[in-house]
Amino acid sequence: MVLSRPGTKVEIIDSPIPEPNDDQVLIKVVVSGSNPKDWKLAEMRPVSMNQGDDIAGIVEKVGANVYEVKPGDRVAAFHQMFTPHGSYAEYAIAWAHTTFPIPPETSFEEAATLPLAAMTAAVGLYQVLGLPQPWDPIPAAGPPPTAYPPPPVAPTLPDVHHDIPLVIYGASSAVGFFTLQLARRSHIHPIICVAGRAVAHVAPLLDAAKGDVVIDYRAGDDAVVEGIRAALGGRELLHAFDAVSESGSPQNLGRVLSEGGKAKVAFVLGGKKEVPEWVTQQTTHVGSVHSHAKDFGFVYYRYFARGLKEGWFRGQNVEVRPGGLAGVQGALEDLKAGKASAVKYVFRIAETEGVGA
């Protein structure tokens, strides 16, 4: 097991295999994913703990109340933050409602990119911003049908969408990338993405015919603001998801969000941001799926699994760090240095020296 220390330092120690309670799942971790919070929270909370929260592996044991998965199943799971038995270990514990099956076609490496970041995207889009969920009906063009049952040959459905401009700032980050995929699934357009080195990672997912664009922040703040305004084409901007939440992104959004008290922005980092007073700002708390939003988490994790199987949802690109758990410290250092671009650092636990010996 890896314990995180302040300053991106880690320590690998031996520990006993944990025991799940009646509502938990014990997972033999095949691949663990990393997140920027793993080093940030280690510095904010100088307490040694296993910071890994992205689990992909095989069910080892289930509690008495667990009915969806069984030993031997391939699963991914979101470990409850700030609790023992995280994913930087041979075995991890997750609650049943945040554990979900992964299709045979999905690798453990890809699955390990999903749990925390994908759920952050869902919470931000649908709970914070209140945008239409993927199964919300879309108003169709033309009058409603008058003949029932429908004719033998069903008419082609019109290509309609929710005309809701949405800015995703940091669209090539893990959270931003999942936010983009979910927004598309919800038929929300135009999607206005702000990205940098990984513009090419974002662009193929956009639909220019519906007004989607990607803006390169490396051109400077004024260029970003003008690019967003041009993409809006005179429409109001009432929704923004800031997957960066620092380095000028809140201020840039404050220059383009519409006045009138209806504009909302979801931030991934806490603390009050410098945006106009008429903008409603809220931090996206992914940990809510382990408290008051358990049902939301339960539904969306299973929806992610369906998306993986059907092909409309996929994980972030991965970089497997060498050495298994021995690679965690270097990955945290690179995350802190901002070296990760459109990639998730993951660790194959079996590659850890001494594991299985």
Side-chain angles (χ1 to χ4, degrees):
M1 177 178 71
V2 168
L3 293 178
S4 295
R5 312 286 191 190
T8 70
K9 302 299 181 184
V10 303
E11 178 185 4
I12 300 178
I13 64 170
D14 288 328
S15 61
I17 298 175
E19 188 73 14
N21 68 23
D22 286 350
D23 299 303
Q24 293 177 332
V25 180
L26 174 67
I27 302 170
K28 183 175 178 59
V29 185
V30 178
V31 178
S32 170
S34 62
N35 293 282
K37 64 144 274 282
D38 297 348
W39 71 265
K40 292 179 180 180
L41 294 181
E43 293 195 346
M44 292 170 58
R45 301 186 180 195
V47 178
S48 297
M49 67 175 64
N50 184 329
Q51 290 281 4
D53 296 318
D54 285 334
I55 307 168
I58 299 171
V59 175
E60 182 77 11
K61 187 176 183 180
V62 301
N65 297 331
V66 178
Y67 60 90
E68 286 188 300
V69 296
K70 63 185 184 303
D73 286 353
R74 303 172 76 250
V75 296
F78 178 32
H79 166 260
Q80 184 174 0
M81 297 183 292
F82 314 123
T83 66
H85 315 309
S87 66
Y88 293 157
E90 290 182 75
Y91 293 90
I93 292 285
W95 293 94
H97 74 280
T98 60
T99 301
F100 58 101
I102 54 176
E105 303 88 351
T106 300
S107 69
F108 288 116
E109 289 79 6
E110 180 182 6
T113 72
L114 267 74
L116 186 149
M119 186 55 66
T120 301
V123 170
L125 277 177
Y126 306 121
Q127 291 206 309
V128 176
L129 296 180
L131 290 168
Q133 301 193 67
W135 44 80
D136 282 353
I138 301 172
T146 57
Y148 296 95
V153 179
T156 301
L157 292 176
D159 186 12
V160 295
H161 61 273
H162 296 289
D163 188 13
I164 304 175
L166 170 68
V167 171
I168 303 175
Y169 215 114
S172 63
S173 68
V175 171
F177 186 66
F178 292 123
T179 302
L180 171 55
Q181 293 184 74
L182 290 174
R184 290 179 66 229
R185 187 68 178 177
S186 289
H187 304 285
I188 294 168
H189 298 280
I191 303 172
I192 305 168
C193 293
V194 181
R197 287 175 288 169
V199 165
H201 181 58
V202 173
L205 295 180
L206 302 181
D207 188 343
K210 295 184 176 68
D212 297 350
V213 297
V214 58
I215 299 166
D216 193 333
Y217 67 75
R218 293 173 296 181
D221 292 342
D222 289 343
V224 169
V225 170
E226 290 307 313
I228 293 174
R229 287 174 177 161
L232 290 170
R235 285 173 291 195
E236 286 189 309
L237 177 62
L238 301 179
H239 303 90
F241 194 121
D242 190 348
V244 179
S245 304
E246 57 188 359
S247 303
S249 61
Q251 292 87 339
N252 288 344
L253 288 172
R255 294 168 63 184
V256 293
L257 284 160
S258 299
E259 299 183 30
K262 295 182 179 180
K264 299 178 183 179
V265 58
F267 292 109
V268 294
L269 298 180
K272 190 170 179 62
K273 309 300 181 185
E274 295 181 30
V275 295
E277 61 181 11
W278 62 76
V279 175
T280 299
Q281 57 174 296
Q282 186 173 333
T283 304
T284 301
H285 293 294
V286 67
S288 65
V289 300
H290 284 122
S291 57
H292 63 275
K294 288 182 179 179
D295 287 354
F296 182 91
F298 175 89
V299 170
Y300 266 97
Y301 277 124
R302 283 137 191 85
Y303 195 60
F304 297 160
R306 175 181 168 185
L308 291 170
K309 179 65 177 178
E310 294 178 350
W312 56 261
F313 198 62
R314 67 180 179 88
Q316 178 72 302
N317 293 335
V318 301
E319 179 181 318
V320 179
R321 303 300 293 242
L325 294 176
V328 171
Q329 180 165 316
L332 297 185
E333 291 170 349
D334 286 350
L335 284 171
K336 184 176 181 179
K339 294 182 179 180
S341 178
V343 69
K344 171 84 78 168
Y345 298 144
V346 302
F347 316 95
R348 294 174 179 146
I349 306 304
E351 294 180 357
T352 309
E353 184 177 357
V355 168

